């Protein structure tokens, strides 16, 4: 398998214009994050509109990201889909484009149990030589990946990492401990922007912060402080990033529209995205919600 992926691996937000991928904005966005010092890029995750995208659009996003990155950092590709054969089709596309790893959830819609989930990941391993990361996001998949399952799959070489967006910090702590006791077969990345300091203390190998689209410098600075053992700087940076995360506390909008909508609005205010357009049927933030995002950014020093 390839060299382990660790550090700051933002889940790429996707700029749109008139319903199409806005390639010039995407170039500015990716280059800005690489210039900030990120260590990898997760393309086609939840922030990357994977479930809103047709196979054709998935391919276009991956190809453009691959071209822009140009080998400077590794690319993890989301191959998320409802069931195993559909995921394998997405893996084939990702392999053709030439990514460094793939990221898959448990099967969903036809809800299943541990036996089927284990078989799902085993079949993915049979289908590819790329590193496979399990994406633990029960709010969308309706199943929390058990620690013993992912650890068994890690020790067997089926999985190489876990992107944890479960919201279960206690479970993540236990997984980190078990992973260390087993010789660290899994790379563990947290997907929770506001408690990254705690995840580092638990044993995380890095983070996948959606908010890192907006402030990659802050997350890289926090990572560097962690590597240096400067825990006071880690905590101080986390407090600032937690304040920035309140951009998602908008009025009358919930879920994806609030979170990703706020990130895109912030990127538009920064001049990185031309628009804050969202995928259909989600509306972009407007009016007082845009001003809310701007005010929070001014408060933390990201906007004049």
């Amino acid at each position: 398998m390839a060299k382990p992926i660790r550090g700051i691996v933002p889940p790429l937000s996707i700029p749109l214009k008139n319903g199409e991928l806005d390639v010039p904005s995407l170039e500015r966005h990716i280059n800005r994050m690489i210039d900030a010092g990120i260590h990898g890029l997760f393309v086609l995750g939840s922030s990357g509109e994977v479930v809103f995208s047709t196979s054709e659009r998935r391919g276009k996003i991956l190809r453009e990201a691959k071209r822009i990155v140009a080998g400077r950092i590794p690319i993890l590709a989301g191959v998320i889909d409802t069931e195993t054969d559909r995921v394998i089709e997405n893996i084939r596309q990702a392999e053709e484009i030439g990514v460094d790893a793939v990221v898959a959830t448990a099967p969903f819609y036809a809800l299943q149990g541990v036996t089927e989930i284990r078989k799902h990941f085993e079949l993915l391993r049979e289908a590819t030589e790329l590193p496979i990361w399990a994406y633990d996001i029960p709010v969308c998949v309706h199943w929390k990946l058990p620690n013993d399952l992912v650890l068994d799959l890690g020790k067997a070489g089926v999985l190489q990492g876990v992107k944890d967006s479960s919201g279960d910090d206690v479970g993540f702590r236990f997984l980190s401990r078990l992973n260390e006791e087993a010789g660290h077969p899994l790379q563990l990345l947290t997907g929770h922007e506001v408690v990254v300091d705690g995840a580092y203390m638990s044993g995380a190998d890095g983070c996948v912060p959606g908010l890192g689209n907006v402030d990659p410098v802050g997350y890289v600075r926090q990572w560097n402080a962690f590597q240096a053992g400067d825990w006071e700087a880690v905590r101080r940076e986390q407090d600032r990033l937690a304040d920035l995360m309140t951009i998602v506390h908008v009025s009358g909008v919930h879920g994806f529209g609030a979170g990703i909508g706020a990130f895109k609005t912030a990127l538009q205010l920064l001049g990185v995205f031309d628009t804050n357009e969202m995928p259909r049927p989600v509306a972009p933030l407007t009016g007082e919600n845009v001003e809310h995002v701007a005010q929070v950014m001014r408060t933390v020093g990201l906007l004049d």
Side-chain angles (χ1 to χ4, degrees), residues 189-208:
L189 302 181
T190 180
H192 288 279
E193 298 96 329
V194 180
V195 291
V196 176
D197 51 352
Y200 287 161
M201 293 186 76
S202 293
D205 296 292
C207 69
V208 186

Side-chain angles (χ1 to χ4, degrees), residues 47-65:
S47 297
E49 303 177 11
V50 62
V51 297
F52 291 91
S53 299
T54 63
S55 179
E56 180 181 2
R57 176 174 283 179
R58 289 188 188 206
K60 183 172 184 178
I61 291 169
L62 273 181
R63 287 187 182 91
E64 292 293 350

Side-chain angles (χ1 to χ4, degrees), residues 173-236:
R173 182 72 176 228
F174 285 135
L175 177 59
S176 297
R177 296 297 303 134
L178 293 168
N179 193 45
E180 287 306 306
E181 291 170 7
H184 209 100
L186 295 166
Q187 296 296 107
L188 304 180
L189 302 181
T190 180
H192 288 279
E193 298 96 329
V194 180
V195 291
V196 176
D197 51 352
Y200 287 161
M201 293 186 76
S202 293
D205 296 292
C207 69
V208 186
L211 190 63
N213 286 277
V214 179
D215 190 5
V217 169
Y219 282 100
V220 171
R221 187 163 53 225
Q222 185 187 40
W223 170 260
N224 290 339
F226 165 50
Q227 295 301 290
D230 187 349
W231 287 102
E232 176 56 29
V234 171
R235 182 200 60 78
R236 185 170 59 249

Side-chain angles (χ1 to χ4, degrees), residues 30-267:
I30 291 176
N31 285 325
R32 173 177 179 261
M33 290 194 290
I34 292 177
D35 289 345
I38 65 170
H39 306 96
L41 196 61
F42 177 25
V43 183
L44 294 176
S46 300
S47 297
E49 303 177 11
V50 62
V51 297
F52 291 91
S53 299
T54 63
S55 179
E56 180 181 2
R57 176 174 283 179
R58 289 188 188 206
K60 183 172 184 178
I61 291 169
L62 273 181
R63 287 187 182 91
E64 292 293 350
K66 172 77 173 176
R67 176 185 64 80
I68 297 163
V69 167
R72 290 176 287 175
I73 55 174
I75 294 175
L76 293 82
V79 291
I80 298 156
D81 222 315
T82 51
E83 298 296 329
T84 304
D85 287 338
R86 295 176 63 90
V87 175
I88 291 173
E89 284 186 3
N90 297 329
I91 288 174
R92 292 286 173 263
Q93 182 184 64
E95 288 176 326
E96 177 189 345
I97 292 167
V99 304
D100 299 282
V102 293
V103 185
T105 67
F108 56 93
Y109 190 80
L111 298 180
Q112 294 152 35
V114 172
T115 299
E116 291 81 12
I117 293 170
R118 180 187 295 273
K119 187 64 175 177
H120 168 73
F121 285 113
E122 290 173 343
L123 288 168
L124 300 188
R125 168 50 57 224
E126 291 174 13
T128 186
E129 295 184 358
L130 287 172
I132 300 173
W133 288 65
Y135 189 177
D136 194 8
I137 183 166
V139 69
C140 294
V141 175
H142 308 294
W143 184 274
K144 171 75 178 74
L145 292 175
N147 285 348
D148 57 352
L149 172 61
V150 295
L151 192 64
D152 284 350
L153 293 172
K155 290 189 292 186
V158 173
L159 295 177
Q160 283 63 59
V162 176
K163 192 262 186 178
D164 183 86
S165 294
S166 67
D168 181 0
D169 294 332
V170 174
F172 185 82
R173 182 72 176 228
F174 285 135
L175 177 59
S176 297
R177 296 297 303 134
L178 293 168
N179 193 45
E180 287 306 306
E181 291 170 7
H184 209 100
L186 295 166
Q187 296 296 107
L188 304 180
L189 302 181
T190 180
H192 288 279
E193 298 96 329
V194 180
V195 291
V196 176
D197 51 352
Y200 287 161
M201 293 186 76
S202 293
D205 296 292
C207 69
V208 186
L211 190 63
N213 286 277
V214 179
D215 190 5
V217 169
Y219 282 100
V220 171
R221 187 163 53 225
Q222 185 187 40
W223 170 260
N224 290 339
F226 165 50
Q227 295 301 290
D230 187 349
W231 287 102
E232 176 56 29
V234 171
R235 182 200 60 78
R236 185 170 59 249
E237 192 63 51
Q238 187 64 80
D239 285 345
R240 192 187 69 83
L241 291 165
D243 290 343
L244 177 59
M245 189 64 178
T246 62
I247 60 174
V248 307
H249 296 165
V250 292
S251 176
V253 185
H254 305 282
F256 184 86
I260 309 307
F263 297 163
K264 287 194 177 190
T265 298
L267 287 163

